[in-house]
Amino acid sequence: MQLYVCNYMSTAISNYSDFLSWNGSGNAYLTASFTITDGSYTTPYSIGTSQTFDGKGFTIEINNSTSFNGLFKLQGGTVQHLDVVNTSASLANGSGWIGYGINSTANSGAYGIVYNCGVTMNGGVIGTNCGGIVGMYAATQSNGSSFVLGSATNNLTIANCRYSGPFPSGGGGIIGKFASNGNASNTPAPTASGGVISIENCFINITTSGSNGGGITGSFVGQNYTGANNKITRCIVQGAASSNFNG
């Protein structure tokens, strides 16, 4: 898999001020690395269908942010060639550093493509049920008030990505808890699945042990899935041992 974005009709971003001015409108690409330091970025920008954010190999560093919700709300678009480094921020429970994770039925979880992105935690805190790349309820759709059975269109592909940091209890090194669930509440009995998740060529380095999750995915991924299309291929997990490893 190799993805490209044309710089024509795209917003060039060289610093945090440019990032805020872009406001998630249209395609964008980085021309330099920058740091988010003041905790003012609290609502992740949506990356919708046919929309691409291209990091061009540059880094966004996140510092001094409490309960950070993630950089983007991935809703069918693509985030690629981006590195994220955290030194002192805390990731909100259920979220992901690159892809926002929902914690209610008011929104759909992350779906689309994350390609050639990396996350390194040199400090800070990762909350429970989080994903190192994308948060909980990934590839799970909502109709605005409840999770929808049979919503098998919100597919998520994460390829050539890296995570190095603490084990997110209940979550996973790549994606968080309850991904690809047709009915996250388990009531009534599920009759269909969530979207398909494909995780390919990813590397996970767990630096601090935890429990009740997995090196790649969080717990209960595909729990109500009626098919067999979710796949993890050519991925490596190394690092600290964890208890109740189930993802």
Side-chain angles (χ1 to χ4, degrees):
M1 176 186 289
Q2 178 65 57
L3 304 176
Y4 300 93
V5 60
C6 179
N7 292 345
Y8 178 68
M9 297 299 291
S10 296
T11 299
I13 297 173
S14 62
N15 53 50
Y16 184 37
S17 178
D18 287 348
F19 182 75
L20 293 177
S21 296
W22 166 59
N23 199 33
S25 178
N27 295 332
Y29 63 97
L30 296 186
T31 61
S33 300
F34 66 87
T35 303
I36 298 175
T37 60
D38 58 4
S40 62
Y41 184 65
T42 57
T43 303
Y45 294 151
S46 180
I47 306 294
T49 303
S50 300
Q51 200 175 350
T52 297
F53 184 93
D54 191 341
K56 298 286 186 180
F58 292 106
T59 298
I60 297 178
E61 185 173 348
I62 305 167
N63 291 333
N64 302 324
S65 180
T66 302
S67 296
F68 187 72
N69 287 312
L71 279 173
F72 304 110
K73 182 180 178 183
L74 190 62
Q75 297 289 279
T78 298
V79 178
Q80 63 184 27
H81 309 310
L82 176 66
D83 285 312
V84 175
V85 173
N86 173 54
T87 55
S88 61
S90 61
L91 186 64
N93 291 342
S95 203
W97 289 109
I98 292 177
Y100 169 75
I102 58 174
N103 55 14
S104 72
T105 58
N107 298 286
S108 296
Y111 63 101
I113 298 172
V114 183
Y115 177 73
N116 192 30
C117 293
V119 171
T120 302
M121 289 189 64
N122 293 327
V125 177
I126 189 166
T128 60
N129 303 327
C130 289
I133 304 293
V134 170
M136 68 188 298
Y137 292 121
T140 301
Q141 189 177 26
S142 169
N143 63 8
S145 60
S146 63
F147 291 111
V148 181
L149 291 174
S151 52
T153 58
N154 288 6
N155 301 327
L156 174 66
T157 296
I158 300 177
N160 292 31
C161 290
R162 308 158 299 282
Y163 169 75
S164 180
F167 185 94
S169 292
I174 298 296
I175 58 176
K177 189 176 184 179
F178 284 136
S180 186
N181 263 291
N183 178 21
S185 67
N186 300 320
T187 304
T191 59
S193 69
V196 174
I197 292 177
S198 177
I199 301 173
E200 309 167 10
N201 300 323
C202 290
F203 178 79
I204 302 95
N205 178 45
I206 302 299
T207 58
T208 305
S209 62
S211 62
N212 299 317
I216 299 174
T217 75
S219 54
F220 302 109
V221 170
Q223 181 182 22
N224 300 318
Y225 197 83
T226 60
N229 293 320
N230 285 340
K231 64 178 181 178
I232 298 173
T233 56
R234 298 182 299 275
C235 293
I236 296 173
V237 180
Q238 70 172 24
S242 300
S243 60
N244 298 325
F245 214 69
N246 59 8

